[in-house]
Amino acid sequence: MAIPGLPPVYLVTGYQQAREVFNDSRLCKDRSRVPTAHDPGPEMIWVAGRQLLSTDGGDHARLRRLLTGWWSRAASTRWPEIIERHTGDLLGDLASGPSETDLVTSFARPLPMRILADVVGIPQAEAGRLQELVHVFTSNGVPESPQVQSAHGDLVAIWFRLAKEHAGEDTLLGVLGKARQDREISLTELTSLLDMLLVAGAHSMSMFFPRVVLRLADAPELVATLTGDDESAQEALVEELIRLCPPFPLATHRYTTEDVDLWGTPVPAGSLVMPAVAAANRDPQVHPAPDQACPGRPGARTRHLSFGHGAHYCLGATLARQQARIALVRLYQRFPHLTATGEPVWRNLMVPEPACLPVRLRRG
C-alpha cells in the first residue's frame, strides 16, 4: 500500500495470513535488527523506545516478565470495582450536565485513563495531565515534530519523577521504579514501557468507545442486550463489538529481516508489514456474515485478532474486555436512548480515531 509521505507498507488482510504474520520468525519488531529497515514515519510514535511493541526474543521476554504479575488472572479480580467506580463517577457527571455533549472528552477519553492510573498505581492527580500529553503524543504529527517532541519530553520527566517517588511500592509503577533503581531496566525502557501502557492501555479504549456508539446507532436490538440483565449475552455481544471495532484497526508494524515471499508477493528485506486487524476480523472464510454483530459465534474469543496473536499478544486483553463490558452496559443502562447528533470529527491517518462525537444523552 502506498500513502503519500509514508514508506511503502504491506498490509495483510486475511485472517489466517495475519495470524501467520504475527508468528513469522522472518519478521521482527526491533528495527535495530534490520539495517535496511524503512523509517515507519508517524507510525513510529506508537512503538517508540524499548518496550513490548518494539522488541523481540530475550529482550521482549525480560520486559514482559516485569509486567506479567500485574496483569495476571489474580490481579484482574480487583479491576471490576475500579472500572465500576470511575464509570459511575463519569456517568453521574453526564447525568447532571447538559443533555448534549461530546462523548469523547466527557467519557471515552477520561475513563480509560482514570482506570489505568489505579491499575498501574499512578496518582489520580496526574491523570489529567497524562491524558493531555498522550493526546498530543498520538496526534498525526511525525515523531520529530516540535509538538510531539515537547509532549514526549514532558512525559519522560513525569515518568522519571513518579518512578523515583513510588519505587518499591506494591504497584506496577513501584515495581518498574525499583527495577530502574536496581539497573534491571534502562531509563529508556522505563519511560517506554510507561508510554506503552498509556497508549495501549488507555488511548486504545478511548478510540474504541466512540466507534462502538456509532456502530450501535441503528441497532436497537443490540442496545436492548446491553440494557438488559443477561450478563452472558452482554459478554457475548461485547466480544463481537471488540471484533467489529478493534481498538487498533492495524496492528503495529513488523520488519522483514530478509527478502520474503508472502503468499505470492515478493517483499524486500527491511519492508514494513502490518496485519490489518479490522479486515482480518471480517474475513468471510472465518466469520460468516462478517459485518453483522452475531453474539455467540463459535470460538469468539480465539477467532478474532483484536488483541493480536502469539508472543506479542496483548497483556491487557482481560482489562480491556472488563472495561468494555462494564462501561458499555452502564452507559446504555443510564442513557438507553443515547444518540449521535452529528458526524464525528476524525484524526490520524494510520489509526483513525474519533476526536469528537456529539451526542444527545436522552435519559431513559
Side-chain angles (χ1 to χ4, degrees):
M1 180 179 72
I3 301 175
L6 296 179
V9 177
Y10 293 83
L11 291 183
V12 181
T13 59
Y15 173 83
Q16 188 56 44
Q17 292 84 353
R19 275 177 62 98
E20 292 176 21
V21 162
F22 279 120
N23 284 331
D24 195 326
S25 61
R26 301 171 300 171
L27 279 65
C28 73
K29 304 283 290 178
D30 187 346
R31 188 183 176 200
S32 67
R33 293 176 53 195
V34 188
T36 60
H38 288 293
D39 183 338
E43 215 265 334
M44 188 64 189
I45 293 169
W46 306 92
V47 292
R50 300 287 297 173
Q51 35 104 332
L52 301 190
L53 299 177
S54 60
T55 54
D56 306 287
D59 278 345
H60 177 264
R62 173 177 59 85
L63 296 175
R64 194 176 179 99
R65 279 195 297 271
L66 281 172
L67 307 181
T68 300
W70 293 94
W71 302 95
S72 66
R73 185 179 299 275
S76 69
T77 59
R78 69 185 185 91
W79 297 339
E81 183 276 328
I82 294 172
I83 299 167
E84 290 277 13
R85 174 162 41 85
H86 289 299
T87 301
D89 288 346
L90 285 170
L91 291 179
D93 292 342
L94 286 174
S96 61
S99 61
E100 294 192 5
T101 188
D102 171 22
L103 191 71
V104 174
T105 56
S106 63
F107 183 78
R109 197 175 289 160
L111 177 63
M113 184 62 71
R114 293 183 188 184
I115 292 169
L116 184 75
D118 277 0
V119 168
V120 174
I122 299 168
Q124 283 294 332
E126 307 282 352
R129 179 57 178 157
L130 291 173
Q131 181 181 310
E132 294 172 359
L133 291 173
V134 77
H135 183 65
V136 176
F137 186 54
T138 56
S139 70
N140 218 21
V142 297
E144 294 79 14
S145 72
Q147 297 89 345
V148 172
Q149 286 289 306
S150 176
H152 190 239
D154 288 350
L155 273 175
V156 169
I158 290 173
W159 292 141
F160 183 76
R161 172 175 57 81
L162 290 179
K164 186 175 180 180
E165 290 174 356
H166 298 277
E169 291 181 2
D170 189 24
T171 63
L172 179 53
L173 178 62
V175 168
L176 292 175
K178 184 68 162 56
R180 172 58 193 148
Q181 282 187 348
D182 295 342
R183 299 296 190 268
E184 295 177 20
I185 57 175
S186 68
L187 177 59
T188 296
E189 288 171 338
L190 169 71
T191 58
S192 300
L193 285 168
L194 289 165
D195 284 348
M196 179 202 71
L197 290 172
L198 275 191
V199 174
H203 185 65
S204 60
M205 296 305 292
S206 75
M207 297 188 289
F208 170 77
F209 289 122
R211 292 191 192 123
V212 170
V213 169
L214 291 169
R215 177 80 195 190
L216 295 175
D218 298 313
E221 74 286 358
L222 301 181
V223 172
T225 298
L226 292 174
T227 59
D229 56 9
D230 187 335
E231 292 187 4
S232 295
Q234 290 166 349
E235 287 185 7
L237 172 56
V238 167
E239 199 66 34
E240 267 290 84
L241 293 172
I242 291 171
R243 177 183 71 84
L244 290 165
C245 308
F248 287 105
L250 296 174
T252 51
H253 62 266
R254 273 85 176 144
Y255 300 101
T256 48
T257 60
E258 59 188 75
D259 294 343
V260 299
D261 182 280
L262 295 178
W263 305 282
T265 299
V267 181
S271 298
L272 302 176
V273 178
M274 298 179 72
V277 169
N281 283 354
R282 288 173 169 80
D283 189 332
Q285 296 185 13
V286 179
H287 301 289
D291 293 325
Q292 295 180 17
C294 301
R297 288 180 186 268
R301 285 196 169 209
T302 58
R303 301 191 74 187
H304 69 68
L305 299 174
S306 295
F307 299 119
H309 178 66
H312 289 86
Y313 183 79
C314 177
L315 267 178
T318 298
L319 178 62
R321 284 185 166 107
Q322 289 182 358
Q323 188 173 161
R325 178 181 58 80
I326 293 171
L328 288 171
V329 167
R330 297 294 178 252
L331 174 64
Y332 280 95
Q333 286 179 341
R334 179 69 71 95
F335 304 111
H337 305 296
L338 175 69
T339 306
T341 58
E343 292 298 317
V345 176
W346 297 88
R347 70 169 198 157
N348 282 344
L349 180 63
M350 294 299 290
V351 186
E353 59 173 288
C356 173
L357 179 59
V359 297
R360 181 177 298 112
L361 298 175
R362 296 176 61 188
R363 299 166 179 82

Short mmCIF file of all heavy atoms in Angstrom, two decimals, residues 1 3 20 75 91 97 125 138 148 180 197 204 213 250 266 274 279 288 319 326 340 344 347 350:
data_model
loop_
_atom_site.label_atom_id
_atom_site.label_comp_id
_atom_site.label_asym_id
_atom_site.label_seq_id
_atom_site.Cartn_x
_atom_site.Cartn_y
_atom_site.Cartn_z
N MET A 1 0.85 -1.18 0.00
CA MET A 1 0.00 0.00 0.00
C MET A 1 0.88 1.23 0.00
O MET A 1 1.85 1.32 0.77
CB MET A 1 -0.90 0.01 1.24
CG MET A 1 -1.82 1.23 1.32
SD MET A 1 -2.89 1.20 2.78
CE MET A 1 -1.69 1.57 4.07
N ILE A 3 1.04 5.33 0.57
CA ILE A 3 0.39 6.50 1.15
C ILE A 3 1.34 7.67 0.98
O ILE A 3 2.52 7.57 1.36
CB ILE A 3 0.06 6.30 2.64
CG1 ILE A 3 -0.87 5.10 2.82
CG2 ILE A 3 -0.58 7.55 3.23
CD1 ILE A 3 -1.15 4.77 4.28
N GLU A 20 -0.45 -15.86 10.72
CA GLU A 20 0.89 -16.34 10.38
C GLU A 20 1.93 -15.23 10.48
O GLU A 20 3.05 -15.46 10.94
CB GLU A 20 0.88 -16.96 8.97
CG GLU A 20 0.08 -18.25 8.89
CD GLU A 20 0.00 -18.80 7.48
OE1 GLU A 20 0.86 -18.42 6.64
OE2 GLU A 20 -0.92 -19.60 7.19
N ALA A 75 -4.68 -10.73 39.66
CA ALA A 75 -4.75 -9.27 39.72
C ALA A 75 -6.05 -8.74 39.14
O ALA A 75 -6.59 -7.73 39.61
CB ALA A 75 -3.55 -8.66 38.98
N LEU A 91 -20.51 8.91 34.63
CA LEU A 91 -21.93 8.89 34.24
C LEU A 91 -22.74 9.83 35.13
O LEU A 91 -23.70 10.47 34.66
CB LEU A 91 -22.48 7.48 34.30
CG LEU A 91 -21.93 6.49 33.25
CD1 LEU A 91 -22.55 5.12 33.44
CD2 LEU A 91 -22.17 7.00 31.84
N GLY A 97 -25.22 17.11 33.89
CA GLY A 97 -24.82 18.15 32.96
C GLY A 97 -25.82 18.34 31.83
O GLY A 97 -26.97 17.88 31.91
N ALA A 125 -4.14 12.45 40.59
CA ALA A 125 -3.84 13.86 40.34
C ALA A 125 -3.03 14.06 39.07
O ALA A 125 -3.00 15.15 38.50
CB ALA A 125 -3.09 14.46 41.53
N THR A 138 -0.04 11.13 20.41
CA THR A 138 -0.63 10.25 19.41
C THR A 138 -1.30 11.02 18.29
O THR A 138 -2.13 10.46 17.57
CB THR A 138 -1.66 9.31 20.07
OG1 THR A 138 -2.66 10.11 20.74
CG2 THR A 138 -1.00 8.37 21.06
N VAL A 148 5.10 17.01 19.22
CA VAL A 148 5.26 15.65 19.71
C VAL A 148 6.50 15.54 20.58
O VAL A 148 6.50 14.90 21.64
CB VAL A 148 5.29 14.65 18.54
CG1 VAL A 148 5.66 13.25 19.03
CG2 VAL A 148 3.96 14.62 17.82
N ARG A 180 14.25 0.05 37.83
CA ARG A 180 15.17 1.07 37.33
C ARG A 180 16.23 1.37 38.36
O ARG A 180 17.43 1.49 38.02
CB ARG A 180 14.38 2.34 36.97
CG ARG A 180 15.26 3.52 36.61
CD ARG A 180 16.18 3.22 35.44
NE ARG A 180 17.21 4.24 35.30
CZ ARG A 180 18.43 4.01 34.85
NH1 ARG A 180 18.80 2.79 34.48
NH2 ARG A 180 19.31 5.00 34.75
N LEU A 197 2.03 1.68 28.10
CA LEU A 197 0.84 1.44 28.91
C LEU A 197 -0.20 2.53 28.68
O LEU A 197 -1.41 2.26 28.63
CB LEU A 197 1.21 1.37 30.39
CG LEU A 197 2.00 0.12 30.82
CD1 LEU A 197 2.48 0.26 32.26
CD2 LEU A 197 1.17 -1.14 30.65
N SER A 204 -6.08 3.34 23.59
CA SER A 204 -6.76 2.35 22.74
C SER A 204 -8.25 2.29 23.05
O SER A 204 -9.09 2.27 22.14
CB SER A 204 -6.14 0.96 22.95
OG SER A 204 -6.26 0.56 24.31
N VAL A 213 -20.28 3.26 19.89
CA VAL A 213 -21.50 4.06 19.93
C VAL A 213 -22.01 4.32 18.51
O VAL A 213 -23.22 4.22 18.24
CB VAL A 213 -21.26 5.39 20.68
CG1 VAL A 213 -22.43 6.35 20.49
CG2 VAL A 213 -21.04 5.11 22.16
N LEU A 250 -5.24 -1.48 12.82
CA LEU A 250 -3.99 -2.02 12.27
C LEU A 250 -3.08 -2.41 13.43
O LEU A 250 -2.88 -1.62 14.36
CB LEU A 250 -3.27 -0.98 11.41
CG LEU A 250 -3.96 -0.50 10.13
CD1 LEU A 250 -3.17 0.63 9.51
CD2 LEU A 250 -4.11 -1.65 9.14
N PRO A 266 6.45 -10.73 -3.52
CA PRO A 266 7.82 -10.57 -3.03
C PRO A 266 7.94 -9.32 -2.18
O PRO A 266 7.50 -8.24 -2.58
CB PRO A 266 8.64 -10.46 -4.33
CG PRO A 266 7.67 -9.97 -5.36
CD PRO A 266 6.32 -10.50 -4.97
N MET A 274 2.19 -4.96 8.01
CA MET A 274 1.23 -4.70 9.08
C MET A 274 0.00 -5.59 8.92
O MET A 274 -0.65 -5.57 7.87
CB MET A 274 0.78 -3.23 9.05
CG MET A 274 1.91 -2.25 9.29
SD MET A 274 1.36 -0.53 9.22
CE MET A 274 0.45 -0.42 10.76
N ALA A 279 -9.68 -5.81 8.96
CA ALA A 279 -10.03 -6.60 7.78
C ALA A 279 -9.99 -8.09 8.09
O ALA A 279 -10.89 -8.85 7.70
CB ALA A 279 -9.08 -6.28 6.63
N PRO A 288 -18.79 -15.97 8.97
CA PRO A 288 -19.91 -15.77 8.04
C PRO A 288 -20.68 -14.49 8.40
O PRO A 288 -20.76 -14.12 9.57
CB PRO A 288 -20.77 -17.02 8.26
CG PRO A 288 -19.83 -18.05 8.82
CD PRO A 288 -18.85 -17.27 9.65
N LEU A 319 -8.22 -6.77 30.94
CA LEU A 319 -8.66 -5.45 31.40
C LEU A 319 -9.53 -4.77 30.34
O LEU A 319 -10.55 -4.16 30.66
CB LEU A 319 -7.45 -4.58 31.72
CG LEU A 319 -7.75 -3.15 32.17
CD1 LEU A 319 -8.56 -3.14 33.46
CD2 LEU A 319 -6.45 -2.35 32.36
N ILE A 326 -18.28 -3.53 31.24
CA ILE A 326 -18.87 -2.75 32.33
C ILE A 326 -19.25 -1.35 31.85
O ILE A 326 -20.36 -0.86 32.11
CB ILE A 326 -17.89 -2.67 33.52
CG1 ILE A 326 -17.72 -4.07 34.15
CG2 ILE A 326 -18.39 -1.67 34.57
CD1 ILE A 326 -16.61 -4.15 35.18
N ALA A 340 -26.13 9.87 18.55
CA ALA A 340 -25.19 10.81 17.96
C ALA A 340 -25.97 11.91 17.26
O ALA A 340 -26.94 11.64 16.54
CB ALA A 340 -24.28 10.10 16.97
N PRO A 344 -18.88 12.45 13.55
CA PRO A 344 -17.68 12.54 14.38
C PRO A 344 -16.58 13.31 13.65
O PRO A 344 -16.56 13.35 12.42
CB PRO A 344 -17.28 11.08 14.60
CG PRO A 344 -17.85 10.36 13.42
CD PRO A 344 -19.12 11.07 13.08
N ARG A 347 -9.38 12.09 13.43
CA ARG A 347 -7.99 12.49 13.31
C ARG A 347 -7.13 11.25 13.12
O ARG A 347 -7.58 10.13 13.40
CB ARG A 347 -7.51 13.29 14.52
CG ARG A 347 -7.37 12.46 15.79
CD ARG A 347 -6.66 13.22 16.89
NE ARG A 347 -6.16 12.29 17.91
CZ ARG A 347 -5.16 12.55 18.73
NH1 ARG A 347 -4.52 13.70 18.65
NH2 ARG A 347 -4.78 11.66 19.64
N MET A 350 -3.00 6.78 10.02
CA MET A 350 -2.72 5.36 10.17
C MET A 350 -3.68 4.67 11.13
O MET A 350 -4.04 3.51 10.94
CB MET A 350 -1.27 5.16 10.66
CG MET A 350 -0.21 5.60 9.67
SD MET A 350 -0.28 4.67 8.12
CE MET A 350 0.30 3.06 8.66
#
